[in-house]
Amino acid sequence: MSAVIARTRFSVLDRSRTRAGRPPAEALRDTVALAREAEALGYHRFWVSEHHGVPGVAGSAPTVLAAAVAAATRTVRVGTGGVMLPNHRPLVVAEQFGVLESLFPGRIDMGLGRSVGFTDGVRRALGREKDAAGDFAAQLDELLGWFAGTSPTGVRARPAEGLKVPPFVLAMGEGARIAARAGLPMVIGDLRRREPMMRGIDEYRSLFRPSPWASEPYVVISGTVAVAGTAEQARRLLVPEAWSAAYSRTHGTFPPLAPAEETEGRAMTAKERDRYESALAGHLAGTADQVAAELETVLKETGAAEVLVTTSTYDRAALLDSYRRLAALFAPGR
């Protein structure tokens, strides 16, 4: 086993992707079931996401779903990847994570992002403008203040105040600099765009200031990792998500995942085909040996302490098999 892979933590972010012809409730139950499997396989964390008004994603309330995941597991860390802070009042976020940490002490992570709704309609429904992400640093500072009991309002965040819920910043754009200045662990992707990712990591490390939350930089790299018996089988795992991404870029809406064979037989326009092939390219996908070699390279390049795997596909059995094969690389015999 590779020494660099052996000393790296591996975690899972599941976005509760819906599948064509299946109800959204099933996607949420699938997420909870996958969390149990990930725990048994030795994954370090299991995170859930926040998306609003997206037809292909059932995960709209991450702290609620995190509670269900934590209740169904015993040892894996549970968190959010992430709560989009511009969509919420920091006090309410602190209260939600305070409740989670009180119910599941020592197991909760607070992954925080700065995105707002994907469309004008969603942003209007949330009561937010496009530029709300520009206040993220101040919102983050306010949120952490509720845990520290330093709010100038005189209000106390209960039961959050005094609790230690590890915060992570999802580093999109300005996020790397914000994470560094706040002295927080950073999650950065994606694995397909190595040069921008490396620039973000270098900037984060150079600007990092120690804080009560982290004494030194902590980098989590995120992206799709697909492992199968053959390279072609691994590629087919990527097909449903690639088509959804291509469709969203050409039609403006992100659809549920369709079976790979349906997509492979689909007639596409030149623009759709170009977007689809682009969405398939660059992921860490292949046999166990191929993925291990690619992982070793990217871990040496980035010096990351952790990999957050974000793979989605229509075939749930094939997805679980991929996670098992990946786990065999970092926790053989588990």
Side-chain angles (χ1 to χ4, degrees):
M1 179 174 59
S2 161
V4 68
I5 291 175
R7 65 172 178 261
T8 302
R9 290 169 167 169
F10 284 79
S11 299
V12 176
L13 168 62
D14 191 73
R15 289 179 294 141
S16 303
R17 292 286 277 114
T18 59
R19 293 185 287 168
R22 306 291 185 93
E26 184 176 82
L28 297 172
R29 289 192 291 269
D30 285 344
T31 291
V32 175
L34 181 61
R36 293 195 196 98
E37 297 284 358
E39 178 178 72
L41 291 169
Y43 285 89
H44 183 61
R45 310 179 202 277
F46 191 94
W47 284 5
V48 295
S49 64
E50 175 182 335
H51 294 275
H52 299 285
V54 180
V57 182
S60 57
T63 54
V64 177
L65 185 52
V69 168
T73 54
R74 293 185 306 107
T75 58
V76 70
R77 297 196 63 88
V78 177
T80 56
V83 164
M84 296 302 149
L85 202 48
N87 295 338
H88 310 279
R89 293 301 307 167
L91 171 61
V92 176
V93 175
E95 290 171 337
Q96 291 172 343
F97 279 98
V99 169
L100 283 169
E101 177 64 20
S102 298
L103 292 173
F104 309 102
R107 292 181 56 207
I108 301 300
D109 298 322
M110 187 166 56
L112 305 163
R114 60 193 294 267
S115 292
V116 290
F118 291 131
T119 66
D120 289 339
V122 170
R123 287 190 289 272
R124 283 195 300 271
L126 291 169
R128 296 294 183 267
E129 301 296 335
K130 249 184 179 178
D131 60 2
D135 297 329
F136 179 70
Q139 293 162 343
L140 180 62
D141 185 61
E142 181 184 342
L143 172 61
L144 299 181
W146 289 115
F147 287 92
T150 57
S151 171
T153 64
V155 176
R156 314 294 282 273
R158 307 183 191 279
E161 188 175 315
L163 297 180
K164 293 285 284 186
V165 183
F168 294 74
V169 172
L170 276 60
M172 294 168 284
E174 175 70 10
R177 292 183 287 277
I178 293 171
R181 290 170 184 144
L184 300 181
M186 177 186 73
V187 182
I188 189 166
D190 67 37
L191 294 172
R192 296 189 302 161
R193 301 175 67 239
R194 301 287 175 83
E195 287 188 16
M197 185 175 71
M198 285 304 307
R199 285 197 300 271
I201 291 171
D202 290 344
E203 187 170 39
Y204 168 70
R205 289 199 172 110
S206 68
L207 296 175
F208 185 86
R209 299 192 300 216
S211 75
W213 301 99
S215 59
E216 59 186 24
Y218 188 91
V219 175
V220 183
I221 55 174
S222 69
T224 294
V225 183
V227 193
T230 68
E232 179 57 30
Q233 288 170 337
R235 182 184 180 279
R236 295 191 86 235
L237 279 168
L238 307 177
V239 164
E241 185 75 20
W243 171 246
S244 283
Y247 190 91
S248 72
R249 298 246 177 178
T250 51
H251 297 268
T253 184
F254 199 66
L257 299 174
E261 57 270 20
E262 181 180 311
T263 296
E264 289 171 334
R266 186 185 301 273
M268 300 182 192
T269 66
K271 188 174 182 181
E272 287 172 340
R273 175 67 62 181
D274 180 65
R275 296 286 192 181
Y276 171 66
E277 295 294 344
S278 176
L280 276 176
H283 300 287
L284 270 62
T287 64
D289 287 345
Q290 290 169 330
V291 169
E294 289 188 64
L295 272 174
E296 186 158 1
T297 297
V298 73
L299 288 170
K300 287 178 178 177
E301 287 176 353
T302 61
E306 188 168 342
V307 179
L308 183 66
V309 184
T310 63
T311 311
S312 297
T313 195
Y314 181 90
D315 186 334
R316 300 296 300 186
L319 178 64
L320 180 55
D321 181 66
S322 176
Y323 276 117
R324 284 191 184 120
R325 291 174 186 268
L326 178 58
L329 298 180
F330 66 84
R334 179 83 183 214

